[in-house]
Amino acid sequence: MGLIKSIRNALTKTSIALGKSIAKDKIVIEELERTLIEADFGVQITMDIIEAVKKSPDKKSAIEEIKKYLINILELPEKEERSETKPYVVMFVGVNGVGKTTTIAKMANIELKNGNDASLVAGDTFRAAAIEQLTIWSERLKIPIFKGEYGADPASIAYRAISESKGENRIILIDTAGRLHTNKNLMMEMEKIVRVLKKIDDKYPNEILIVLDASIGQNNIQQAKQFMVYVPLTGIVMTKLDGTAKGGSIFPIVRDLKIPVKYIGTGEGIDDISPFSSEEFVNTLFPD
Ligand SMILES: Nc1nc2c(ncn2[C@@H]2O[C@H](COP(=O)(O)OP(=O)(O)O)[C@@H](O)[C@H]2O)c(=O)[nH]1
Ligand SMILES: [Mg+2]
């Protein structure tokens, strides 16, 4: 499926609702307001949009204003560019069931398609089934996997993966156990992975992506903040946009957390992932 098409399909639940309130020749303010709140844009952003619409002379300029305003929220100031370490290391964190393992497989597949090498690290040693799940992906994708016994220390598995790939032009994707902030031990374990990898190179892990389930909406903000206490998050992967009408929550989430969305998950299949583009996302929500 094409990139734009898959985003569009994923966002239908959110965008159809918006489309109804932005009818052919006019915008129905009350309906738009209700739809924005239901799509989880949050109160502040909804009020800002309604203000902009009221001030606009016509529908066309109203939509232009809305788009400009929303794209501006998503485009955070660029942090330093991708550091050139070999290997390049990306770690995935988040609570249970959000789609970490699936996203890792999808991202490994993207790297392979781009002609790059990829390895997996089975850092979720908390559930035996998790090691199994990632092993199956490594077999399907025919890429190396580093793993330990159930209960093993994920930091040392990740350390080994990087040490043994030294100097290689390769991306290493580290899976981790799902955890809640209330589980102090697991939070400390996650912190330790980062600390141990920094002993190899201060730039490691190059990226720490938090995987968030879009259907949780704005509640993701609190969830992510609890992870930020322990590790420096560099980006967001927003999964399950295909199954929710809460696609608008991306805006308050990015505005509050001040970290960019890097990828969006648009289904359960291996190709159901897209690199995130603010413009494409907003244009899909508000088609002309
Ligand atoms: N609809 C949909 N399902 C997804 C998406 N990403 C993951 N899933 C499903 O969510 C469930 C949990 O995924 P998993 O990767 O095991 O989550 P983890 O516990 O965070 O590793 C699985 O059934 C996945 O197929 C997505 O973008 N859309
Ligand atoms: Mg998993």
Side-chain angles (χ1 to χ4, degrees):
M1 198 188 292
L3 192 71
I4 305 227
K5 197 162 166 222
S6 75
I7 299 176
R8 193 160 292 157
N9 281 358
L11 288 176
T12 32
K13 285 203 173 127
T14 309
S15 63
I16 283 177
L18 286 167
K20 275 188 192 148
S21 51
I22 304 173
K24 245 197 162 77
D25 48 359
K26 62 170 186 156
I27 296 177
V28 186
I29 298 279
E30 303 83 67
E31 194 157 340
L32 178 62
E33 187 172 342
R34 182 159 26 92
T35 312
L36 289 167
I37 292 291
E38 278 169 10
D40 221 10
F41 280 77
V43 174
Q44 188 56 54
I45 291 173
T46 298
M47 287 188 337
D48 288 352
I49 289 178
I50 295 300
E51 273 313 298
V53 171
K54 281 181 178 166
K55 277 192 208 138
S56 301
D58 53 37
K59 182 191 152 188
K60 189 163 178 287
S61 57
I63 292 191
E64 282 313 305
E65 281 302 311
I66 296 174
K67 282 186 183 173
K68 229 192 307 171
Y69 166 77
L70 289 175
I71 289 171
N72 188 45
I73 291 176
L74 298 177
E75 307 227 302
L76 299 170
E78 269 304 313
K79 291 251 172 70
E80 58 193 292
E81 53 196 271
R82 218 171 138 128
S83 41
E84 290 298 316
T85 56
K86 289 182 180 180
Y88 190 82
V89 177
V90 186
M91 176 172 161
F92 295 78
V93 302
V95 305
N96 249 320
V98 288
K100 292 179 295 300
T101 306
T102 310
T103 299
I104 285 172
K106 290 173 176 178
M107 282 191 57
N109 190 45
I110 292 179
E111 293 296 330
L112 296 178
K113 277 190 183 166
N114 290 339
N116 301 323
D117 286 324
S119 301
L120 307 178
V121 174
D124 180 357
T125 59
F126 197 65
R127 290 184 312 127
I131 304 174
E132 181 82 357
Q133 188 187 356
L134 202 66
T135 303
I136 291 171
W137 278 119
S138 78
E139 286 164 0
R140 272 192 214 157
L141 295 167
K142 301 188 176 62
I143 54 175
I145 181 167
F146 291 84
K147 56 185 176 181
E149 295 294 307
Y150 164 71
D153 178 13
S156 64
I157 304 170
Y159 186 93
R160 180 161 57 86
I162 297 173
S163 309
E164 290 184 13
S165 311
K166 213 168 176 179
E168 290 177 24
N169 199 358
R170 169 183 296 279
I171 187 161
I172 295 185
L173 304 165
I174 305 175
D175 196 12
T176 62
R179 63 199 81 217
L180 288 172
H181 69 284
T182 44
N183 191 324
K184 197 93 184 163
N185 284 340
L186 276 177
M187 290 314 249
M188 301 300 280
E189 178 204 82
M190 176 176 69
E191 188 180 40
K192 183 182 169 190
I193 299 174
V194 175
R195 190 162 18 95
V196 166
L197 298 192
K198 289 211 178 298
K199 287 184 188 159
I200 306 177
D201 187 325
D202 192 41
K203 295 195 182 89
Y204 286 146
N206 303 73
E207 294 181 44
I208 305 175
L209 302 181
I210 186 159
V211 182
L212 301 175
D213 175 342
S215 65
I216 306 298
Q218 285 187 80
N219 290 333
N220 275 312
I221 295 173
Q222 283 319 311
Q223 211 175 83
K225 279 187 174 163
Q226 281 144 359
F227 278 80
M228 285 168 128
V229 172
Y230 295 89
V231 293
L233 302 177
T234 61
I236 298 167
V237 179
M238 186 67 71
T239 60
K240 310 194 190 186
L241 270 167
D242 50 303
T244 179
K246 290 188 180 173
S249 66
I250 275 194
F251 301 98
I253 289 172
V254 170
R255 183 148 88 170
D256 200 316
L257 299 177
K258 297 182 182 65
I259 47 174
V261 178
K262 294 281 176 78
Y263 289 90
I264 55 176
T266 54
E268 294 192 86
I270 186 85
D271 290 316
D272 297 331
I273 187 167
S274 308
F276 186 73
S277 148
S278 316
E279 222 160 295
E280 232 162 65
F281 189 81
V282 171
N283 284 335
T284 307
L285 282 178
F286 296 90
D288 293 317

